[in-house]
Amino acid sequence: MIFLRKFRRFQEVTLVRLQEIAANYNVSYNVDASFRRLESKHEALESAANVTHGALHEELRDLKSGAKKLQNKTRKAALRVQALEDAWQERERQGAAEREAQDALLSNLTRELARRREDTRALQASQGSQRKVLESLQDALKNQGAKLAELEQLVKAPPEHNEVLLPSALAAAPLLNRSPAEKEPEAAAGQGLTLKKLRAKHRQRKKLLQLEHRRLEARAQNGSLPGQEPSPQEETEEEEAPPQSEPQGLRQERPVMDKASEEEEREVPQVSRPPGTICNVGTMLVFPNASTENFAAFRPSFHTALLELSLCSWVRTSARYLGTILSYATEDNDNKLVLHGRDAAPRNAIHFVIGDPAFRELPVGRFLDGRWHHLCVIWSSIQGRYWFYVDRRLASMGSRFQKGYEVPAGGSLVLGQEQDTLGGGFEPSEAFVGHLAGWAMWDRVLSPGEVSGIATGNGLPRGPVLSLANVTKLSGAVQKVTCSCLEHCP
């Protein structure tokens, strides 16, 4: 019995111990499972934290870039406002100078009008005197006619009567257009002109009188002043008259008229060729839309700094504005050289920027008709001057523009977009939409003759530093087309 009780006691103790062991095992298992769950949650949280950190870092970088662009635009806007104020003040000064020039011109015109009135009065007086001269010439013509009739009657008289009266009548009759030195030998010799010669002289005198009368009437109708050149009709009439019978006044006026006629022939303007015949264009770039992906780049750009430059190109756009044609940026300034246009008022002008914030407005209203036009923008740091040509004609020019400034080398040169950062930061409203043909750049000032030669299709002048042949990258939908003449360009 004692053994049985001990055995049962042992079983109870053993069962209790086994239950304690099982309980401890269950606790340990639960702890391990909890640790595994905690570890997986930690890993998930760590992964989420990494993703959140990356997204936050990206957003911070975008915010930093946006803040930088906003600062640049704010700075450029402030500088441009200042430049506009300076330009407005400059225009006010120029307006005052122009008003003074207009006042001086008005004063000159008033004096000129008074002088013309005096000339008109002198013309009227001269016409009166010329009428008197004409009347005296007509009287002389009548006298000569009467004397000629008398001579004819003498010729028709009987021979024996002519032998007595004809020599004395011929000797006494004044001969037309004969000088006293010519008359004396004839009178001394007792010989006169024959009737045939007298009639020829009479016809010449009559023709000269008619010519003089027409000249006076023509001058009176045209209101020409004394000393002015006769009309081409008067020249023709005077040339028909025999040189030997011209009065001295007519003989003196002939060289003047001939010279004027020669000058008029030399001053006939040459007819310009239509744009369809413009050749030697070379390569053309097509910018189909205002996407920020559309641009052409030069890498590298020009290798030496520029103290002078000339930019020329054929341009055609169907947009209502002329976008940015060229943008040159460096690390320290994204507006070193820009032909900047945008879809905002005023749309008939673009900004020619040299070293932000200095710029000048260029008129481009003629480019918005959808046709080909040629432009040349020229700048000289040495002179501090710029010139803007449109279709061979000087459309704008100015001085005191970045004199002594130097455009540095080694930057990013882009066609068709405006850079807000080096090689990027484009905006659709500033993009160029259209066609650029024959684009080229020189590191010198082109002469007006060279500009005219490009615009008339005579090819590029010597020494361009860049042309469309040097484009190294075409981005987006930009296409490069070869067309020798503008009429062949699509």
Side-chain angles (χ1 to χ4, degrees):
M1 291 293 292
I2 294 173
F3 177 75
L4 183 60
R5 285 196 298 270
K6 288 182 179 182
F7 179 75
R8 289 178 178 175
R9 180 65 180 171
F10 176 74
Q11 284 182 337
E12 292 175 357
V13 172
T14 302
L15 181 61
V16 170
R17 295 293 297 174
L18 288 174
Q19 289 176 350
E20 291 178 354
I21 291 172
N24 291 333
Y25 176 78
N26 291 333
V27 171
S28 176
Y29 178 78
N30 292 333
V31 169
D32 291 339
S34 299
F35 273 117
R36 283 193 297 271
R37 286 195 299 271
L38 290 174
E39 185 177 3
S40 62
K41 288 181 179 180
H42 175 73
E43 291 176 353
L45 290 173
E46 185 177 4
S47 177
N50 290 334
V51 172
T52 304
H53 179 73
L56 182 61
H57 183 70
E58 185 68 23
E59 290 180 358
L60 288 175
R61 186 166 62 250
D62 293 340
L63 287 174
K64 184 178 179 181
S65 176
K68 183 178 179 181
K69 290 176 63 176
L70 183 60
Q71 289 176 354
N72 290 336
K73 289 185 177 181
T74 304
R75 178 177 57 84
K76 290 193 290 185
L79 293 173
R80 287 180 179 176
V81 168
Q82 181 63 36
L84 285 173
E85 291 179 354
D86 296 340
W88 179 78
Q89 294 176 357
E90 179 66 22
R91 288 184 180 179
E92 285 293 321
R93 289 192 293 270
Q94 292 179 356
E98 290 176 358
R99 286 191 293 272
E100 293 178 359
Q102 290 176 356
D103 293 340
L105 179 60
L106 181 59
S107 177
N108 293 334
L109 288 175
T110 304
R111 289 194 296 270
E112 180 68 17
L113 180 59
R115 188 179 66 82
R116 288 299 178 93
R117 288 175 178 172
E118 294 177 358
D119 291 340
T120 302
R121 289 192 291 269
L123 174 62
Q124 293 173 352
S126 175
Q127 287 177 351
S129 62
Q130 288 177 354
R131 286 194 187 96
K132 294 179 181 179
V133 172
L134 180 59
E135 292 174 356
S136 64
L137 289 176
Q138 289 175 346
D139 294 338
L141 179 62
K142 292 178 181 178
N143 294 333
Q144 292 294 333
K147 291 177 181 179
L148 183 60
E150 182 180 355
L151 289 175
E152 288 178 350
Q153 291 177 0
L154 292 175
V155 171
K156 293 177 181 179
E160 61 274 9
H161 186 65
N162 285 346
E163 291 177 358
V164 178
L165 298 178
L166 184 59
S168 60
L170 292 175
L175 302 178
L176 183 62
N177 290 335
R178 293 287 187 173
S179 63
E182 292 173 340
K183 294 177 182 177
E184 290 176 359
E186 293 179 357
Q191 298 177 354
L193 295 174
T194 64
L195 180 61
K196 183 177 180 181
K197 290 184 178 181
L198 286 174
R199 287 176 176 173
K201 294 294 184 180
H202 178 69
R203 286 194 297 270
Q204 291 175 2
R205 168 56 67 91
K206 187 175 181 179
K207 190 173 183 180
L208 287 175
L209 289 175
Q210 293 174 352
L211 173 62
E212 182 68 17
H213 182 66
R214 287 196 298 269
R215 289 180 62 251
L216 292 175
E217 289 181 349
R219 289 191 178 184
Q221 292 175 359
N222 296 333
S224 59
L225 299 177
Q228 287 185 338
E229 296 178 6
S231 64
Q233 181 180 0
E234 295 173 358
E235 290 183 35
T236 305
E237 292 174 349
E238 292 184 10
E239 288 175 358
E240 292 176 354
Q244 66 272 18
S245 61
E246 291 182 350
Q248 184 178 1
L250 296 179
R251 289 198 300 269
Q252 291 176 353
E253 289 180 2
R254 178 180 298 278
V256 178
M257 292 186 290
D258 293 344
K259 183 177 180 181
S261 177
E262 294 174 0
E263 291 178 354
E264 289 175 358
E265 292 177 357
R266 288 195 300 267
E267 293 175 359
V268 174
Q270 297 182 353
V271 179
S272 59
R273 292 181 294 176
T277 60
I278 302 299
C279 295
N280 299 312
V281 175
T283 305
M284 178 184 69
L285 295 182
V286 181
F287 299 82
N289 52 55
S291 170
T292 56
E293 300 294 328
N294 297 338
F295 65 90
F298 296 84
R299 292 193 179 92
S301 59
F302 43 90
H303 298 284
T304 59
L306 300 179
L307 290 173
E308 294 180 330
L309 64 89
S310 299
L311 297 169
C312 296
S313 178
W314 284 96
V315 179
R316 185 177 70 184
T317 180
S318 57
R320 61 176 182 172
Y321 69 99
L322 187 64
T324 300
I325 296 177
L326 173 142
S327 173
Y328 179 69
T330 60
E331 290 286 352
D332 59 338
N333 192 330
D334 56 7
N335 290 317
K336 284 294 186 181
L337 170 62
V338 189
L339 285 178
H340 176 245
R342 59 179 299 135
D343 187 10
R347 293 183 175 86
N348 61 349
I350 62 174
H351 288 173
F352 176 37
V353 183
I354 295 285
D356 192 26
F359 74 94
R360 293 292 185 270
E361 276 194 355
L362 305 180
V364 294
R366 296 182 60 183
F367 290 83
L368 306 182
D369 59 0
R371 300 179 181 179
W372 282 110
H373 293 280
H374 188 263
L375 67 82
C376 273
V377 181
I378 301 172
W379 168 74
S380 172
S381 170
I382 302 171
Q383 305 178 43
R385 298 175 60 86
Y386 74 94
W387 301 264
F388 178 50
Y389 290 88
V390 177
D391 296 333
R392 297 190 303 164
R393 301 183 184 277
L394 186 62
S396 177
M397 64 178 294
S399 59
R400 290 183 290 182
F401 182 42
Q402 292 293 66
K403 185 174 183 179
Y405 186 79
E406 183 179 81
V407 180
S412 171
L413 182 60
V414 172
L415 300 182
Q417 298 285 351
E418 200 275 328
Q419 303 175 76
D420 283 335
T421 59
L422 187 64
F426 306 143
E427 292 186 9
S429 61
E430 299 174 331
F432 172 76
V433 180
H435 303 69
L436 295 179
W439 183 94
M441 178 177 178
W442 291 261
D443 58 356
R444 61 185 179 88
V445 172
L446 295 183
S447 67
E450 290 175 316
V451 173
S452 178
I454 303 173
T456 54
N458 294 331
L460 299 180
R462 59 176 176 82
V465 294
L466 286 175
S467 67
L468 294 184
N470 303 115
V471 172
T472 56
K473 180 181 180 181
L474 296 177
S475 176
V478 178
Q479 296 180 1
K480 189 175 184 180
V481 181
T482 299
C483 55
S484 58
C485 299
L486 286 183
E487 61 181 349
H488 301 151
C489 296

